[in-house]
């Protein structure tokens, strides 16, 4: 009896181009939803230096905040699919390295799940309730901004794991032959930038803030480049199948 893993492997071998395009579609959602949640939700509602203003903004636009949180939840699901689908696409190059890349990617997704929970805290604190009567308004506002800032710090940690996964994936793409080498090099650069940004935010936040957002531009270029290549071109099917046959031998 065929197992789900066997059936998936057979489908990948039959049409790796379609799988690559599906991967690109999930990746595109992650990029678009991430920009929306960061720039158009938190970017418009959060004032990093004013807890009272932040609380007032979220209270006045709770629907927008909830939409942003919902977008992040779907990002988590899409991220899991991308991790597993890229593993299937890249394992003909090296099954072990592809597994390491997927493993670090899933660790990043798990940490990102925790950071998403933190975005519920402002809704709970600002939504009222008898259990909140023990806290003053300033305490509630301060706790709201603290949760949002902790969300950002947790995000940096998740990107550390994701950056390591990008290093593995970039190397595999570079060595694959069925995807352009330039995409592999860009993904390695993206991984280095993610790791550097996360480490610097812990060791020297002031220095890291001076590099932001420029240090993240290679990440956007690398991931967007890979996304659109997967969506439009997929992979070189003949080369992919030849490498897969060697891996299976």
């Amino acid at each position: 009896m065929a197992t789900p893993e066997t059936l998936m492997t057979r489908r990948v071998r039959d049409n790796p181009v379609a799988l690559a395009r599906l991967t690109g579609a999930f990746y595109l959602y992650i990029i678009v939803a991430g920009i929306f949640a960061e720039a158009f939700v938190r970017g418009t509602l959060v004032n990093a230096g004013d807890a009272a203003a932040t609380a007032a903004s979220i209270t006045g636009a709770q629907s927008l905040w909830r939409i942003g949180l919902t977008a992040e939840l779907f990002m988590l699901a899409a991220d899991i699919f991308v991790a597993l689908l890229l593993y299937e696409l890249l394992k003909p190059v090296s099954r072990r390295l592809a597994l390491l890349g997927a493993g670090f990617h899933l660790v990043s997704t798990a940490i990102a799940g925790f950071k998403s929970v933190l975005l519920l805290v402002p809704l709970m604190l600002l939504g009222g309730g008898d259990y909140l009567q023990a806290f003053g308004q300033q305490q509630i506002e301060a706790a709201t901004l603290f949760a949002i800032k902790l969300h950002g710090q947790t995000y940096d940690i998740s990107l550390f794991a994701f950056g390591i996964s990008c290093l593995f994936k970039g190397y595999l793409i570079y060595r694959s032959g069925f995807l352009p080498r330039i995409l592999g090099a860009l993904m390695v650069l993206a991984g280095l930038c993610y790791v550097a940004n996360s480490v610097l935010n812990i060791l020297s936040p002031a220095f890291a803030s001076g590099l932001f957002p420029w240090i993240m531009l290679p990440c956007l270029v690398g991931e967007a480049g890979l996304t659109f290549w997967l969506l439009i071109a997929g992979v070189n099917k003949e080369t992919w199948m030849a490498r897969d046959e060697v891996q299976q031998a």
Side-chain angles (χ1 to χ4, degrees), residues 46-226:
V46 176
N47 185 331
D50 193 331
T54 298
S57 296
I58 296 174
T59 300
Q62 285 198 28
S63 295
L64 179 60
W65 190 264
R66 291 180 184 277
I67 290 171
L69 177 55
T70 302
E72 284 210 10
L73 293 181
F74 281 106
M75 281 174 62
L76 294 174
D79 216 23
I80 293 172
F81 280 115
V82 168
L84 298 179
L85 293 175
L86 281 178
Y87 166 73
E88 289 291 334
L89 284 173
L90 296 175
K91 72 179 182 182
V93 186
S94 171
R95 185 184 298 269
R96 290 181 179 178
L97 292 181
L99 185 60
L100 280 170
F104 276 103
H105 194 148
L106 292 174
V107 168
S108 171
T109 304
I111 299 172
F114 171 73
K115 79 175 176 62
S116 296
V117 172
L118 293 170
L119 295 180
L120 284 172
V121 175
L123 295 174
M124 297 176 66
L125 290 174
L126 300 173
D130 293 339
Y131 64 93
L132 294 173
Q133 292 180 359
F135 301 98
Q137 183 62 26
Q138 288 186 335
Q139 290 175 313
I140 290 175
E141 293 168 351
T144 295
L145 188 56
F146 172 79
I148 296 170
K149 286 181 177 290
L150 183 58
H151 168 273
Q153 295 294 320
T154 308
Y155 190 31
D156 285 336
I157 295 174
S158 74
L159 289 180
F160 176 80
F162 182 70
I164 295 176
S165 80
C166 287
L167 296 177
F168 286 111
K169 293 171 189 173
Y171 174 77
L172 292 172
I173 291 170
Y174 187 85
R175 293 289 305 274
S176 68
F178 50 78
L179 285 167
R181 283 193 163 191
I182 184 62
L183 292 178
L186 288 172
M187 286 298 289
V188 169
L189 179 59
L192 292 173
C193 288
Y194 275 131
V195 170
N197 183 66
S198 296
V199 171
L200 288 173
N201 269 309
I202 294 174
L203 294 178
S204 180
F207 182 70
S209 64
L211 296 177
F212 188 86
W214 312 112
I215 194 173
M216 303 303 283
L217 288 181
C219 306
L220 180 60
V221 172
E223 292 189 85
L226 177 61

Side-chain angles (χ1 to χ4, degrees), residues 1-13 88:
M1 181 177 178
T3 64
E5 182 180 0
T6 303
L7 292 173
M8 183 176 183
T9 300
R10 288 177 181 173
R11 290 178 181 177
V12 174
R13 291 177 185 168
E88 289 291 334

